[in-house]
Amino acid sequence: MGSVLLSALLSVCACGLSPAWGETGVTPQEVRVGMSNALSGPAARLGTRLKAGVEVYFGKVNAAGGVHGRKLKLISYDDAYEPGRCAAFTAKLVDEDRVFALLGYVGTPTSTGVLPLVNELGVPFVAPLTGAASLRSPVNRLVYNVRGSYADEMEYLVEHLTHDLGVKRIGILVQNDSFGAAGEDGVMIALRRRSLSLCGKGSYKRNTEEVGEGLAVLQEAKPEAVILVGTYKPLATAVKQARAAGFNPRWATISFVGTEAFMAELGPAGEGVFVSQVLPSPFDERLPFIVGYQRDMKAAGESPDYGSLEGYVDAAVFVEGLRQGGVELSRASFLRGMDGLQADLGGLQVSYSPTNHQALRRVHAIQVQGGKAVPVSESFR
């Protein structure tokens, strides 16, 4: 990955950061936005649904005349949730496609892997689909998170398991990379707050479904609940294998799993599984924002789900930043606009400041019941 980043840096430096007519990626007619995420492989539904939400919102904005008269052009590549491919595509987006900003990356190892290039070239990096602390603390002037952190989600899940359900023995099954480590850190922090320790840890390799060894470790530890950290295919495989073996703790996981894809992979084995969420339900019509989202998705021939809702929200926040950036848009004016952003998106309040680059913090949850995602009571929040 280092050679890819170095070649990109040398190439960009050789040709200059800004063309004669203005800021990189900005013309009087358009703003070019780059995206590299998982559009294929075992995490494909995460990237495809997030991208769908972004495209629907961008289409809505463009149909209304764009932002300060500029249409939004999304340039997207498929990195299959592999850090090396993500780094190469990011270099291409910055060097060849000359994008103004990067939006909607998927994953911790992919997002953290491109930060050296982002930091070196001063490219805004908005709404990565990750809750990793490394993208939140210390605050990076170029990175703007929309979703809540893994620490927020793990605090919610551990509170629900211990306070509401009386569970004391909690184990974890994690993807064996930086994403899994970030999730594990969140669990450990939440457990320590309650003077509890971890009851067993299993792991598996990213982009595989080789979960047997990790499950064996957990089965021997006999936890009352297991928190899962990974993508939908391997985690669904784990739950199904465990149930088939008579290993039936309470199962819980975080929003990155991709709720609808997870439930589809699980089938009947998903009954009772908990999933934390960083956004309200895509069917919660009490919020004007959700009503508008549903209307726009229907008009585009798309079905509502948590994944596309996140992309739609991400795009809405990005567009608010562009508006705040003004008619004479530059990366500097965009960053100033984002740092002062205070917006009501229709019942969904988002804000940033120079010391806070996370727009949302509230955590929700669903439980799988009868093949449906049923919201969990938030009485303890």
Side-chain angles (χ1 to χ4, degrees):
M1 183 179 71
S3 61
V4 171
L5 296 180
L6 179 59
S7 65
L9 292 174
L10 292 173
S11 179
V12 172
C13 290
C15 64
L17 289 179
S18 299
W21 42 260
E23 179 64 274
T24 301
V26 180
T27 72
Q29 293 77 36
E30 73 175 15
V31 178
R32 291 197 297 277
V33 184
M35 175 184 290
S36 174
N37 69 24
L39 304 178
S40 65
R45 189 168 171 85
L46 298 174
T48 56
R49 297 312 297 158
L50 186 139
K51 181 184 176 185
V54 170
E55 289 178 324
V56 167
Y57 195 86
F58 276 12
K60 170 185 178 178
V61 171
N62 287 342
V67 182
H68 299 304
R70 296 183 178 98
K71 302 295 180 68
L72 305 172
K73 180 179 180 180
L74 182 67
I75 302 171
S76 171
Y77 296 109
D78 173 22
D79 62 35
Y81 193 40
E82 287 293 346
R85 290 183 62 172
C86 183
F89 284 132
T90 300
K92 179 178 174 61
L93 285 164
V94 175
D95 182 21
E96 298 179 23
D97 298 313
R98 310 285 290 162
V99 298
F100 170 76
L102 302 169
L103 173 70
Y105 279 45
V106 169
T108 300
T110 45
S111 296
T112 56
V114 301
L115 280 183
L117 183 57
V118 167
N119 290 330
E120 183 69 26
L121 298 183
V123 184
F125 190 71
V126 182
L129 202 170
T130 169
S134 58
L135 281 95
R136 288 163 170 77
S137 179
V139 170
N140 185 315
R141 69 184 185 88
L142 298 167
V143 178
Y144 291 87
N145 299 285
V146 174
R147 61 174 14 244
S149 70
Y150 293 146
D152 294 332
E153 291 193 73
M154 291 307 186
E155 171 63 22
Y156 185 107
L157 287 177
V158 172
E159 172 70 0
H160 182 57
L161 291 169
T162 58
H163 181 273
D164 286 13
L165 304 179
V167 169
K168 299 299 182 186
R169 295 173 56 81
I170 297 175
I172 57 173
L173 177 67
V174 302
Q175 185 170 286
N176 190 14
D177 64 3
S178 58
F179 170 38
E184 181 180 352
D185 286 346
V187 173
M188 297 304 296
I189 290 169
L191 289 175
R192 284 195 292 268
R193 286 196 182 109
R194 294 158 178 84
S195 299
L196 297 174
S197 57
L198 191 64
C199 176
K201 172 189 171 181
S203 65
Y204 70 94
K205 186 178 179 181
R206 183 184 63 245
N207 276 349
T208 74
E209 296 175 49
E210 299 168 2
V211 296
E213 290 185 10
L215 281 177
V217 171
L218 286 168
Q219 193 163 6
E220 185 173 342
K222 297 181 173 60
E224 299 170 86
V226 173
I227 295 178
L228 306 162
V229 184
T231 55
Y232 54 91
K233 278 185 176 291
L235 297 192
T237 297
V239 173
K240 288 188 287 188
Q241 287 185 6
R243 292 202 191 281
F247 177 40
N248 290 303
R250 296 183 183 273
W251 300 98
T253 188
I254 53 179
S255 60
F256 185 87
V257 74
T259 302
E260 289 82 7
F262 188 43
M263 293 190 336
E265 291 286 335
L266 281 168
E271 189 69 17
V273 173
F274 291 96
V275 185
S276 58
Q277 304 292 344
V278 293
L279 292 170
S281 168
F283 305 101
D284 187 352
E285 296 181 355
R286 295 173 298 177
L287 297 177
F289 183 84
I290 299 296
V291 174
Y293 155 77
Q294 291 178 339
R295 180 183 62 244
D296 294 340
M297 294 298 286
K298 182 178 180 181
E302 294 277 0
S303 300
D305 56 22
Y306 278 101
S308 62
L309 175 59
E310 182 157 355
Y312 188 91
V313 172
D314 293 346
V317 173
F318 178 72
V319 166
E320 288 299 316
L322 291 178
R323 289 181 177 137
Q324 293 296 318
V327 176
E328 300 296 326
L329 181 65
S330 67
R331 286 173 175 164
S333 72
F334 174 77
L335 296 178
R336 287 194 298 270
M338 290 289 275
D339 273 353
L341 185 63
Q342 303 279 333
D344 182 348
L345 301 180
L348 196 65
Q349 309 290 332
V350 297
S351 65
Y352 293 115
S353 74
T355 58
N356 170 40
H357 282 194
Q358 181 172 306
L360 300 173
R361 292 190 178 275
R362 188 176 182 185
V363 180
H364 313 258
I366 63 94
Q367 184 177 29
V368 181
Q369 296 179 10
K372 296 181 179 180
V374 179
V376 173
S377 169
E378 298 182 63
S379 60
F380 65 86
R381 295 295 288 172

